[in-house]
Structures are given as structure tokens and as C-alpha cells.
Amino acid sequence: MSTQVRPAQPDTFHVFDTTLRDGAQQEGLRLSVADKIRIATLLDELGVGYIEGGWPGANPNDTEFFAAAARGELILKHATLVAFGATRRAGGKAADDPLVAATRDSAAPVACLVAKSHDGHVERALRTTLDENLAMIHDTVTHLRTEGMRVFVDCEHFFDGYLRNPAYSKQVLATIAEAGAEVAVLCDTNGGMLPTWVGDIVGEMSQVGIPLGIHCHNDTGCAVANTMAAVEAGAMHVQGTINGYGERTGNADLVPVIANLELKYDWRVLPHDDSLTELTRISHAISAVTNVAGSPRQPYVGVSAFAHKAGLHASAIKVDPNLYQHIDPALVGNDMRMLISDMAGRANIQLKGTELGYDLSDRELAAQITDVVKEREARGYSYEAADASFELLLRDELGLLEKPFSVINWRVLTQSAHDAADNEATVKLAAKGEVQAFVGEGNGPVDALDHALRRALIPGFVEVKDYELTDYRVRIIDTGHGTDASVRVLIDTRSGEHTWTTVGVGTNVIEASWEALSDAYLYGLIKGL
């Protein structure tokens, strides 16, 4: 990369996370105080500079979070805690405003104030004059500065306001600078900007005389690009949320923002040499706390971010992985994955075998397995989504599949009733030299089969007690066939920290479910999980 497209890093640069405040406004996202403490701890482990904890005084949960932090329940080693707040009410004094007092008394060393920078919002939302809005900003910033707090100011709707009345937007920035705030953050609150627009406006505003920050929403799908454009135009403070949480379509995702700054610009924005390698772990850990499933296609950290499916890609990757990857995934703590499907070539199979620990360097053997995969995929199997089933197939083709149990037969009885006992399954199997039949009941035929199989296996394999079915998905393969169509069943199973997926296919949904279910237990026992 030429030096012409790699800007120089400012002497001071802020990575400011607002997951706990702006991110928490996402529809369906609810964070307890304990959740907020856990997420803040993870963000601190990553090494962000500032963590905006919420708006004390505006809601009880955020107020309690800052109280808990003040009691020592949150220990930050790298990050600085920030309290969000607003400028005082029109016609009053900052020293007497109860919400300003809550920000001041939060025990956070930094306040981030939201201020109106769009004349239409001042007149119609605040219902005050443009001059009074400037006085509100100046009074609140100077009051908090006098009380010993550092102050950043979020200029709400700045870009829309600038396009409508550039002179007033500049007046807002000049007032923020005069009052003694450290940073004026230009906010694309509606998320409607595009990168060139952001870059041009930030570049022009850099002449006002106060360090600038950027806060973007993703309504055009450009939040990360807009953030990078602002940085190139001179912004020294980036705001965003981990995993792009936020209302509507979300905020700028700090995951690719941080990775881009470190790997594309070669800037140091995290504290340690190995901080970036924690990015995938931190992203996924926060996703677990929020209970919002991460996107598999999330840049840098998604499980599909470095997944390769086409045979042409695999052939090139065998020569040099960087031919089809923009970075080494290990730099962000992720891994390259080979996907097995009807698009797979021999190189895919060989690379996937190596990934799983099997030697498939024999070209004829690899070609044979490739043909088996393609034939089964044509029948509806999906091995790209079911690594466990692919490894069972691979072991079988290599003559390495030693089954710890053998199913002799199974049957299911189901009736139209509300009582779970009317769904009954019987499984007869041989394990460790004994043949036994067990009956299971459940909330449906598949649940009954699971209970029967589990009861049959536990006497010989106590570890089965820890196996838990976490997801069950059915998809019709040939939709034109109606009720006699073939179906694909995918089952996710978990034991401790390990999760694996198996697949079954058939015209009978129960039969397809049984194949995926029995393979799930077979795989877990073979792998010693």
C-alpha cells in the first residue's frame, strides 16, 4: 500500500465505545447492570480508550451502573469511564439543572454532552432561540469544566444541520471550543450521509479550531465508511459500538473500524501488540452477553469472514492463503475455514481434511471423497453447515469410523394430543456388547427420540448427560413436491464449550431428524466431547 493512501496518525487519537448507551437503544436489547459491567470489562480488555456507560439521572439502570462503578464493582485498567448527559434546559442555569447534576455527580471523570447543532431542531424540538441554545452549550460545558470534569460534546444532527445552515453549525463548534470542551463530535444522527459528503464537511470544519470526532449511524449502510472518511479528513476521535449495535440499523461497528485503523493504516489505537488478536473473542463474548447472535458475515470476526467455498479459491489458497484473503485471520483472532459443498473441488476437500487433522494428499483418494460429497450434496445434504457430519463421512471413506454404538431399530408413536406422553419413541441399540431397548417420551416425536436415545446411551457413556440440543432447523429441498418433498434437518448440539452441527436428509422428516440426531451423539462420543 502506498504512503499516499495511509494517513499519518494524530498525536492524540480516541477510540470511544458507546455500546452501553447508544448501542443499548437497539430494539430488543436489554442490559442489566451486571450485563453492563461485564461488557465494560470486556471492552477494557480489548483496550478501547473511552467507555460511555449510559445517562445517569435519565433512567434507574444507568444511574445504578455508575453507582456500582463508584463502589468499585467495575475496575478499568485501560479505558476511561464516560457519563452521557445533555445541555441544561432553556432559561435555566447549568448549576441548578438536575440532569446536569446527575452527570456531574456520576463520579465519571469525563462527560459527553449532547447538544443541538441543527437550527431546525433548536427551534422545533427545544422550542428556544438559536442564541439561547448557544448559551445552554456554553453554560453547561463551563460548569462541568469548573467542577473538574473533562468534556466532549456530541453535536446532534450536525451534518443535516450544516447542509441547512452552515453558519450556525460553525457557531456551535466555536461555542464548544470557547467553553473549553476537548472534542466536538460531529454526529450523523439520522445516518443519511455518504463518505464523500462526510469527508468534505469534516475537512472544512477542521479549520474551526477544536479537535473533531465522528459519530455515525448506519442507515445508508455507510457508517464504517463514513467513519473512515472522517478520520482521513482529520477526525481524531471515533465513536461506535461493538458489533454495530444501535437503534434502527445500528451505529458504526467498532470492530472493523479498529481493525481498519490498525491493519490498513498501520496505526496503534489499542494498547498492546497483541490486543487486536483478542478482537474476535471480545466480539463474540459481548454477543453472548447481549444474547444477540452475531452475523456470520461480520467483517474480520464473523465465522464466515474467512470461509472459502468455491473450488477455484481453494486451489489458489493451497498455493498461498493470501491470494483470496485480505489479511491473515490470525491477526484478529479468527480462523480460515474451508466449506464443503457441491461447489467444492478436490483442493477444498484436501484443505478441509488438513484442517480436521486428516492426510488427503493422495489425489485419487481426495477425488473419490469429492465425488461422494458432490453426490450427497445433490441429494440435499449441506456439509458447509454441518462440519460434524462431514468429518463422519470422511472417517467412513478413510475406513476410520469405529462406531461406539450401533442402532438396530427405532420407532416413534405420535398422536394428536396435548399430553407430551402421547409422543413416544423406542430405540434398540447395541453398545459395549449389550443389546437393549429404551423408551422415551417428549414434546413431539423428535424430542421423544432424543430422550429414548439418550436413555439408551447413558448407561455406557455417562458423558451423554452433558449433551444438549441447542437448535433444530428443517428446510424443504424440492419445494415443488408439496408434502412429499425431501427435507433437510440440521441439529446443533453442545457440550461445555463445544458445539457441533449434523445434517440429515429424507422424504420423511422424522427419518431425516433421526439421522441428524444419531450422528450428533455419534460424533460427540467419537471426539470424546
Side-chain angles (χ1 to χ4, degrees):
M1 183 180 293
S2 67
T3 56
Q4 284 76 16
V5 296
R6 182 180 289 169
Q9 183 171 359
D11 293 336
T12 300
F13 191 85
H14 300 164
V15 175
F16 182 109
D17 181 274
T18 181
T19 301
L20 302 182
R21 201 272 305 175
D22 220 7
Q25 296 184 45
Q26 177 166 312
E27 183 177 6
L29 185 58
R30 299 288 184 271
L31 298 177
S32 67
V33 172
D35 292 336
K36 290 166 75 83
I37 289 173
R38 177 61 180 148
I39 291 171
T41 301
L42 288 165
L43 291 168
D44 186 54
E45 287 179 24
L46 179 62
V48 302
Y50 297 88
I51 298 172
E52 189 171 55
W55 191 344
N59 67 73
N61 199 51
D62 285 0
T63 301
E64 174 54 28
F65 169 75
F66 281 96
R71 292 193 299 266
E73 296 177 28
L74 174 64
I75 305 298
L76 298 177
K77 297 179 181 178
H78 302 291
T80 298
L81 186 62
V82 179
F84 184 75
T87 56
R88 65 159 172 83
R89 295 170 182 167
K93 294 183 178 180
D96 300 329
D97 191 288
L99 280 179
V100 174
T103 302
R104 180 190 65 220
D105 298 338
S106 66
V110 179
C112 186
L113 298 174
V114 61
K116 299 294 185 184
S117 58
H118 185 306
D119 62 351
H121 280 262
V122 172
E123 294 170 338
R124 286 179 287 167
L126 287 182
R127 297 184 180 182
T128 191
T129 66
L130 301 186
D131 286 341
E132 174 62 9
N133 180 57
L134 297 178
M136 292 158 60
I137 295 170
H138 194 281
D139 184 21
T140 310
V141 172
T142 55
H143 171 70
L144 292 177
R145 292 285 294 119
T146 300
E147 294 294 321
M149 296 189 79
R150 299 168 59 192
V151 180
F152 305 152
V153 179
D154 283 352
C155 301
E156 189 181 41
H157 296 283
F158 183 86
F159 293 94
D160 294 321
Y162 176 83
L163 294 175
R164 172 184 162 106
N165 187 343
Y168 186 70
S169 295
K170 289 181 180 179
Q171 271 190 288
V172 170
L173 295 187
T175 301
I176 292 169
E178 182 184 340
E182 290 185 30
V183 180
V185 183
L186 311 187
C187 300
D188 182 18
T189 310
N190 287 340
M193 294 293 109
L194 296 176
T196 52
W197 305 350
V198 169
D200 288 346
I201 294 172
V202 172
E204 184 173 345
M205 293 304 98
S206 64
Q207 307 304 314
V208 173
I210 185 171
L212 299 179
I214 185 69
H215 176 115
C216 295
H217 286 255
N218 200 39
D219 298 73
T220 61
C222 293
V224 171
N226 287 342
T227 300
M228 301 305 296
V231 170
E232 290 199 5
M236 49 69 65
H237 170 116
V238 293
Q239 293 190 4
T241 62
I242 288 293
N243 300 330
Y245 301 133
E247 62 182 335
R248 304 188 313 276
T249 58
N251 289 46
D253 185 353
L254 275 185
V255 168
V257 168
I258 290 171
N260 288 342
L261 291 170
E262 291 247 349
L263 297 174
K264 304 303 181 179
Y265 287 0
D266 199 25
W267 290 10
R268 170 63 67 80
V269 299
L270 298 178
H272 303 301
D273 290 339
D274 60 351
S275 293
L276 196 64
T277 63
E278 295 295 304
L279 195 60
T280 299
R281 179 183 70 84
I282 297 293
S283 168
H284 294 184
I286 291 175
S287 180
V289 176
T290 62
N291 201 29
V292 176
S295 169
R297 294 184 296 278
Q298 186 178 5
Y300 289 102
V301 300
V303 295
S304 298
F306 302 96
H308 304 277
K309 182 173 180 178
L312 178 63
H313 288 206
S315 298
I317 285 170
K318 283 188 67 178
V319 177
D320 180 358
N322 292 325
L323 290 174
Y324 275 95
Q325 294 183 160
H326 70 110
I327 64 159
D328 178 355
L331 293 173
V332 291
N334 208 342
D335 293 307
M336 183 183 76
R337 294 170 55 238
M338 298 308 302
L339 303 179
I340 303 304
S341 74
D342 58 354
M343 295 178 65
R346 176 173 44 81
N348 286 72
I349 300 296
Q350 290 175 315
L351 286 168
K352 187 65 177 182
T354 300
E355 181 184 317
L356 296 173
Y358 301 93
D359 181 8
L360 300 182
S361 56
D362 185 308
R363 293 171 61 90
E364 290 188 8
L365 177 61
Q368 172 190 322
I369 295 172
T370 302
D371 290 341
V372 172
V373 168
K374 287 179 178 288
E375 185 274 329
R376 290 177 69 84
E377 288 265 347
R379 288 163 48 196
Y381 288 86
S382 178
Y383 290 110
E384 67 179 276
D387 275 4
S389 287
F390 174 71
E391 184 168 352
L392 292 177
L393 180 151
L394 194 60
R395 283 175 174 259
D396 194 25
E397 292 297 318
L398 295 173
L400 300 174
L401 184 58
E402 297 182 4
K403 296 184 177 181
F405 66 90
S406 176
V407 176
I408 299 170
N409 57 54
W410 58 271
R411 67 178 183 181
V412 178
L413 174 64
T414 184
Q415 299 182 38
S416 177
H418 296 293
D419 188 351
D422 284 311
N423 294 285
E424 181 180 286
T426 302
V427 173
K428 186 177 182 180
L429 59 75
K432 297 190 174 181
E434 295 187 10
V435 175
Q436 297 188 66
F438 288 83
V439 176
E441 298 174 344
N443 296 315
V446 178
D447 191 38
L449 275 172
D450 180 43
H451 288 159
L453 182 55
R454 183 184 295 267
R455 289 191 62 203
L457 291 174
I458 284 175
F461 308 98
V462 69
E463 59 267 37
V464 167
K465 288 183 177 180
D466 296 326
Y467 292 5
E468 177 187 3
L469 268 63
T470 58
D471 202 358
Y472 172 82
R473 306 181 294 284
V474 180
R475 180 175 178 180
I476 295 175
I477 300 170
D478 39 4
T479 56
H481 283 240
T483 55
D484 68 341
S486 295
V487 298
R488 177 192 301 129
V489 172
L490 290 165
I491 289 179
D492 292 346
T493 307
R494 179 172 61 203
S495 178
E497 297 180 354
H498 300 279
T499 300
W500 60 98
T501 304
T502 48
V503 61
V505 170
T507 54
N508 182 324
V509 67
I510 305 301
E511 184 178 353
S513 300
W514 168 257
E515 181 181 12
L517 180 67
S518 58
D519 278 0
Y521 283 91
L522 177 61
Y523 178 84
L525 291 174
I526 286 174
K527 300 292 287 185
L529 300 174

